[in-house]
Amino acid sequence: MPFGRYTSFPTVDLPDRAWPGRTVTKAPRWLSTDLRDGNQALIDPMSSARKLAMFELLVRMGYKEIEVGFPAASQTDFDFIRQLIEEDRVPDDVQISVLTQAREELIERTVQSLAGAPRATVHLYNATAPLFRRVVFGIDRAECKALAVEGTQHVMKFAEQYLGDCDFGYQYSPEIFIDTELDFALEVCEAVMDVWQPGPDREIVLNLPSTIERSTPNVYADQIEWMSRNLSRREHVALSVHPHNDRGTAVASAELAMMAGADRVEGCLFGNGERTGNVCLVTLGMNLFSQGIDPEIDFSDIDGIRRTVEYCNQLPVHERHPYAGDLVYTSFSGSHQDAIKKGFDALERDAAQAGVPVGEYRWALPYLPIDPKDVGRSYEAVIRVNSQSGKGGVAYIMKTEHSLDLPRKLQIEFSRVVQEHTDGEGGEVTPEEMWSIFEAEFLTNGPKVGLLAHRAVSRVDEKDMLNVDVRVDGEIREIEGIGNGPISAFVNALATIGVHARVLDYAEHALSEGSDARAAAYVECQVGERVLWGIGIDANTVTASLKAVLSAVNRALR
Ligand SMILES: CC(=O)SCCNC(=O)CCNC(=O)[C@H](O)C(C)(C)COP(=O)(O)OP(=O)(O)OC[C@H]1O[C@@H](n2cnc3c(N)ncnc32)[C@H](O)[C@@H]1OP(=O)(O)O
Ligand SMILES: CC(C)C(=O)C(=O)O
Ligand SMILES: [Mg+2]
């Protein structure tokens, strides 16, 4: 690889940086730029119906600052903003904003799009980095600063001309801030502030984007801390960050930037946006939630949110996307499943002991950082079984899906049966398939010996005498045995027809409550040289246990 063509990103000289010692304790101000940065990155930009669906979703979720478009870009963008205003669709507590380049004719059209809005913000940007000054604009530092200053003057002039008594806000972004010399980024921001004149009740949003993420998140955090320390009128500045995800570290960049002093974060749902995307607002919000901090956004129906975003963007959300992907709460691997099953058991026990409903009890579960139910998911997909799974997963499915609480040694035995199936057939074993495998292995009444009927004949000297009709190799036989209980009497009866079994372990539990209650009996038997488990299910517990013995016998003789 020709790595010599690239150079390392310069660090910031900030030996007394304070951000590494800080912790985020509250949500920042969020701005969704789905309808602008997200939209401009789509193969098929949103129609007005898709834009409206996205806007309404963002409002429902609780976003209070929404960049609704680039009205000078197209008639669709312009008309959508008009629709929001004319149909009075913007709630009182939501501030919409629109983006424009620092070009007078574009600024005029941009401001015109907001006519009649009670509240709105214009967001102006121009690239300030040396490469862009030289290659894209062919201008020097002074001309670059002049573009920002004149752009701000145009915004103010047109706002006065077209916006009447609109509660008007202003945002400026030195695009490519991440690659801009810090002293110059500061100089341009100061010059813009000198025009806007922020003060009490006159905030300015200064948005410092990592337009192309090129540094590690710590360097971006240093840049943000440096700006935060050096900006004048800091108390009137909403210091905003706008991380892109070129290095795959946008979330980390945003989080460290918050520690470094950012008051506000711009991003898109599920990380849509230019190239590798904008920072993912869902991940950022849910990261706060998982630390016990109110994200001030409602993620309780994450699948509904995902569906709407997929419709609007016409792009799928990846199965592994943090918090929202189809597979993110699912474990296939054996040791994870074992830990999760134990975790659920412990959670239930601990909550019961504390007298708190389990859904309200403090969450602590191996491999699941949050309770999937908190984002509207069920536990159905938490454990799925394939060739990587072990007994814990198999036992979990048998218990949650089929109400069978298998004894530990039986879990091991059955998981080997499932493993043989997955090794042979590959792929996943669904709960229904698992039941078929289980039924075929344990619940067939035969083929060697089948139970037809049983009668308790008498109790003699504390012993049970049992009379049983069985089918042996297709022939009906009546057999009798005496023992310490029905199971031992049955085992002795089987011995009279040459079937020798010794019971080593036994367990049973009810399957359901009420008049149609059934029981599951589990019996570990030695049959010849082999030791294996059998299972019987029946409304009568004695029948269930006799069936269990025959299940083991038939498995041994099969
Ligand atoms: C990092 C970001 O996401 S920034 C947002 C980017 N988003 C978009 O561009 C989406 C919407 N944009 C568009 O639809 C179009 O670019 C339009 C309608 C705004 C303008 O289209 P056109 O007038 O055809 O111009 P085009 O986009 O090719 O313009 C590039 C020109 O604008 C200049 N320019 C680019 N950005 C800016 C800026 N922020 N401020 C001032 N001038 C700028 C360029 O230097 C170039 O000038 P030149 O023609 O003198 O060389
Ligand atoms: C317009 C600016 C804020 C932008 O989108 C970027 O720099 O990525
Ligand atoms: Mg951007």
Side-chain angles (χ1 to χ4, degrees), residues 313-385:
N313 292 343
Q314 302 281 294
L315 289 175
V317 171
H318 198 276
E319 285 90 336
R320 302 276 178 211
H321 191 95
Y323 301 107
D326 272 339
L327 294 177
V328 296
Y329 303 108
T330 300
S331 287
F332 287 100
S333 58
S335 57
H336 293 204
Q337 297 180 337
D338 172 62
I340 288 169
K341 181 175 181 300
K342 288 172 181 160
F344 274 122
D345 292 344
L347 196 70
E348 268 165 36
R349 248 188 348 257
D350 295 350
Q353 233 164 43
V356 175
V358 72
E360 288 167 27
Y361 195 66
R362 192 172 46 81
W363 183 256
L365 213 114
Y367 295 114
L368 282 174
I370 64 149
D371 185 345
K373 287 199 171 160
D374 289 337
V375 288
R377 287 278 180 86
S378 72
Y379 293 147
E380 210 170 284
V382 162
I383 285 180
R384 287 169 60 178
V385 169

Side-chain angles (χ1 to χ4, degrees), residues 8 19 26 137 154 190 206 210 212 219 251 265 312 333 358 365 383 397 402 428 480 486 491 505 514 517 536:
S8 64
W19 65 262
K26 67 188 255 305
F137 294 85
H154 292 316
E190 290 291 339
L206 293 176
S210 64
I212 310 118
V219 174
V251 166
V265 176
C312 295
S333 58
V358 72
L365 213 114
I383 285 180
I397 301 259
H402 306 305
E428 186 187 352
E480 228 168 53
V491 165
D505 202 353

Side-chain angles (χ1 to χ4, degrees), residues 220-511:
Y220 187 52
D222 279 353
Q223 292 176 323
I224 299 299
E225 181 166 335
W226 190 92
M227 287 294 285
S228 181
R229 283 192 204 180
N230 286 287
L231 279 166
S232 68
R233 300 160 271 197
R234 179 66 183 87
E235 66 278 26
H236 307 303
V237 173
L239 192 62
S240 177
V241 290
H242 176 109
H244 278 267
N245 196 35
D246 299 75
R247 293 170 53 94
T249 55
V251 166
S253 291
E255 290 179 335
L256 299 197
M258 284 189 257
M259 290 157 64
D263 309 303
R264 182 177 179 276
V265 176
E266 299 194 350
C268 292
L269 299 177
F270 304 116
N272 181 44
E274 295 281 4
R275 305 178 308 278
T276 52
N278 286 69
V279 69
C280 172
L281 290 180
V282 176
T283 308
L284 283 177
M286 287 300 301
N287 280 355
L288 291 179
F289 173 80
S290 70
Q291 303 291 304
I293 299 167
D294 181 0
E296 295 170 24
I297 300 295
D298 184 354
F299 296 107
S300 62
D301 176 19
I302 205 116
D303 289 338
I305 295 169
R306 199 184 74 184
R307 271 195 303 279
T308 305
V309 173
E310 286 180 329
Y311 158 72
C312 295
N313 292 343
Q314 302 281 294
L315 289 175
V317 171
H318 198 276
E319 285 90 336
R320 302 276 178 211
H321 191 95
Y323 301 107
D326 272 339
L327 294 177
V328 296
Y329 303 108
T330 300
S331 287
F332 287 100
S333 58
S335 57
H336 293 204
Q337 297 180 337
D338 172 62
I340 288 169
K341 181 175 181 300
K342 288 172 181 160
F344 274 122
D345 292 344
L347 196 70
E348 268 165 36
R349 248 188 348 257
D350 295 350
Q353 233 164 43
V356 175
V358 72
E360 288 167 27
Y361 195 66
R362 192 172 46 81
W363 183 256
L365 213 114
Y367 295 114
L368 282 174
I370 64 149
D371 185 345
K373 287 199 171 160
D374 289 337
V375 288
R377 287 278 180 86
S378 72
Y379 293 147
E380 210 170 284
V382 162
I383 285 180
R384 287 169 60 178
V385 169
N386 64 14
S387 63
Q388 304 296 306
S389 309
K391 68 172 172 20
V394 169
Y396 177 86
I397 301 259
M398 290 306 290
K399 185 171 176 192
T400 54
E401 299 287 326
H402 306 305
S403 310
L404 289 181
D405 199 357
L406 308 185
R408 182 183 161 77
K409 282 185 285 179
L410 174 54
Q411 293 173 12
I412 296 167
E413 207 173 300
F414 181 47
S415 89
R416 286 201 197 111
V417 177
V418 174
Q419 184 87 39
E420 272 167 34
H421 178 93
T422 51
D423 280 344
E425 313 256 318
E428 186 187 352
V429 177
T430 63
E432 295 74 32
E433 284 163 348
M434 192 178 291
W435 180 255
S436 303
I437 299 170
F438 182 79
E439 210 173 19
E441 182 69 25
F442 292 102
L443 300 184
T444 53
N445 196 9
K448 175 78 183 161
V449 192
L451 181 69
L452 299 176
H454 65 90
R455 297 163 286 276
V457 178
S458 60
R459 275 183 77 84
V460 183
D461 292 341
E462 305 282 300
K463 296 213 184 250
D464 284 275
M465 181 186 247
L466 202 67
N467 178 289
V468 191
D469 296 339
V470 286
R471 187 188 299 105
V472 184
D473 293 327
E475 188 188 329
I476 296 175
R477 304 273 301 269
E478 186 176 345
I479 56 176
E480 228 168 53
I482 297 175
N484 287 331
I487 296 181
S488 120
F490 184 50
V491 165
N492 291 335
L494 286 175
T496 64
I497 52 168
V499 175
H500 298 283
R502 195 158 68 89
V503 173
L504 305 176
D505 202 353
Y506 176 83
E508 66 171 40
H509 64 77
L511 273 179

Side-chain angles (χ1 to χ4, degrees), residues 32 34-35 46 48-61 63 65-68 80 84 88-91 94-96 308 312:
S32 154
D34 285 273
L35 287 158
M46 292 182 223
S48 53
R50 279 154 62 199
K51 276 175 193 260
L52 202 54
M54 176 64 84
F55 181 75
E56 285 174 352
L57 172 72
L58 293 166
V59 168
R60 265 197 318 279
M61 291 175 71
Y63 288 100
E65 296 180 49
I66 303 176
E67 195 168 59
V68 286
F80 175 65
L84 291 181
D88 198 17
R89 288 180 179 271
V90 184
V94 171
Q95 182 87 7
I96 56 167
T308 305
C312 295

Side-chain angles (χ1 to χ4, degrees), residues 33 36-37 40 209 211 242 244 274 278:
T33 185
R36 196 279 298 175
D37 217 336
Q40 79 190 29
T211 309
H242 176 109
H244 278 267
E274 295 281 4
N278 286 69

